[in-house]
């Protein structure tokens, strides 16, 4: 089992560009999450999903959109990237207890 | 406002020493989780404590949940370089367990 995988691992964008981060899990988990991690700020929840076809806002949702068309995939979109979105993004999944995290995507917005 | 406060923020000690890091809140949590994150990787779940006063051991790591379920501690005995990492505590938000709030972490460095 691969667990939770994320693509890409690194990306550099210019201000105003768009991109989609892909998260996939093979553990049949119902819940999936997108976090961002910034120095001194810890992990902050962007959006999450409690099942296929559902999404909900987390703590810092502005500037991001998500979709969960298939149970195993959770996509995070940035429509118009801003320098404030420079961060490391983590996807996680769970069955309602502890969360399993992917390796992260390091995004830089110039 | 951070619901979970972790201390110390940074800790650097020599191999073989003992240490304790803390996770504190003014709120009651139904459970608390501890994660370790190594550089360039995602956090990995170490343990979940669910009962007030509970103590769980994972080799040289001892986790304790406070009696009032507002705090937790992690004690490492005879620290090794492999213990180096960012230690995060997390607790569920709201009535369900689908969302977690994380502390800002303790960055631990073990010097060989």
């Amino acid at each position: 089992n691969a667990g939770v995988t994320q693509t890409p691992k690194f990306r550099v964008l210019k201000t105003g560009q768009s991109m989609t981060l892909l998260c996939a899990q093979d553990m049949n988990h119902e819940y999936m999450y997108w976090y961002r991690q910034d120095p001194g700020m810890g992990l902050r929840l962007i959006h999450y999903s409690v099942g296929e076809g559902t999404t909900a806002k987390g703590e810092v949702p502005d500037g991001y959109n998500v979709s969960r068309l298939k149970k195993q995939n959770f996509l995070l979109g940035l429509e118009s990237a801003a320098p404030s979105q420079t961060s490391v993004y983590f996807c996680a999944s769970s069955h309602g207890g502890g969360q399993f995290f992917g390796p992260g995507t390091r995004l830089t917005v110039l | 406002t951070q619901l979970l406060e972790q201390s110390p923020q940074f800790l650097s000690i020599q191999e073989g020493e003992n240490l304790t890091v803390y996770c504190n809140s003014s709120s009651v949590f139904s459970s608390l989780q501890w994660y370790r994150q190594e550089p360039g990787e995602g956090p990995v779940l170490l343990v979940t404590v669910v009962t007030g006063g509970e103590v769980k051991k994972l080799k040289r790591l001892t986790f304790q949940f406070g009696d009032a379920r507002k705090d937790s501690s992690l004690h490492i005995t005879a620290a090794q370089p492999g213990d180096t990492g960012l230690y995060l505590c997390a607790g569920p938000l709201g009535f369900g367990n689908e969302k977690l709030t994380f502390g800002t972490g303790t960055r631990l460095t073990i010097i060989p």
Side-chain angles (χ1 to χ4, degrees):
Chain A
N1 289 347
V4 179
T5 58
Q6 293 183 232
T7 52
K9 291 190 175 182
F10 301 93
R11 185 73 186 267
V12 177
L13 290 178
K14 294 181 179 178
T15 297
Q17 287 185 318
S18 64
M19 77 163 294
T20 300
L21 282 68
L22 172 64
C23 175
Q25 53 97 2
D26 61 2
M27 295 173 283
N28 202 35
H29 285 164
E30 287 295 330
Y31 304 141
M32 295 188 74
Y33 311 84
W34 277 107
Y35 294 90
R36 59 178 290 173
Q37 187 174 37
D38 303 290
M41 303 289 288
L43 282 162
R44 292 184 292 168
L45 183 64
I46 304 171
H47 287 280
Y48 66 104
S49 167
V50 299
E52 180 179 317
T54 74
T55 63
K57 293 180 180 180
E59 182 185 357
V60 288
D62 294 343
Y64 305 95
N65 56 76
V66 288
S67 64
R68 184 114 180 256
L69 299 179
K70 293 183 179 181
K71 186 177 184 179
Q72 64 267 34
N73 295 337
F74 195 28
L75 294 114
L76 177 70
L78 286 73
E79 290 187 349
S80 180
S84 61
Q85 294 178 305
T86 292
S87 187
V88 182
Y89 292 84
F90 287 99
C91 176
S93 71
S94 84
H95 47 63
Q99 295 186 6
F100 293 80
F101 284 81
T105 295
R106 185 173 295 275
L107 174 65
T108 301
V109 183
L110 302 175
Chain B
T1 303
Q2 200 72 28
L3 279 178
L4 289 169
E5 298 287 345
Q6 291 190 245
S7 61
Q9 189 176 357
F10 299 94
L11 183 59
S12 182
I13 65 169
Q14 294 287 336
E15 181 177 357
E17 293 183 348
N18 302 332
L19 66 106
T20 303
V21 298
Y22 302 92
C23 173
N24 294 298
S25 177
S26 57
S27 302
V28 175
F29 283 89
S30 59
S31 64
L32 282 178
Q33 300 169 11
W34 283 92
Y35 294 79
R36 179 169 63 210
Q37 183 178 18
E38 299 187 16
E41 299 182 9
V44 175
L45 178 67
L46 296 174
V47 77
T48 302
V49 286
V50 297
T51 305
E54 180 178 7
V55 175
K56 280 192 173 179
K57 292 193 174 184
L58 187 65
K59 296 184 181 178
R60 293 175 295 99
L61 279 60
T62 302
F63 303 85
Q64 184 162 8
F65 200 12
D67 291 341
R69 291 184 287 125
K70 291 184 177 182
D71 55 85
S72 181
S73 63
L74 160 57
H75 181 79
I76 300 179
T77 303
Q80 298 179 1
D83 296 326
T84 292
L86 178 67
Y87 288 81
L88 297 161
C89 66
L93 285 173
F95 295 105
N97 288 334
E98 70 271 14
K99 287 195 302 182
L100 293 176
T101 183
F102 283 82
T104 52
T106 291
R107 190 166 297 279
L108 176 64
T109 302
I110 308 301
I111 304 166

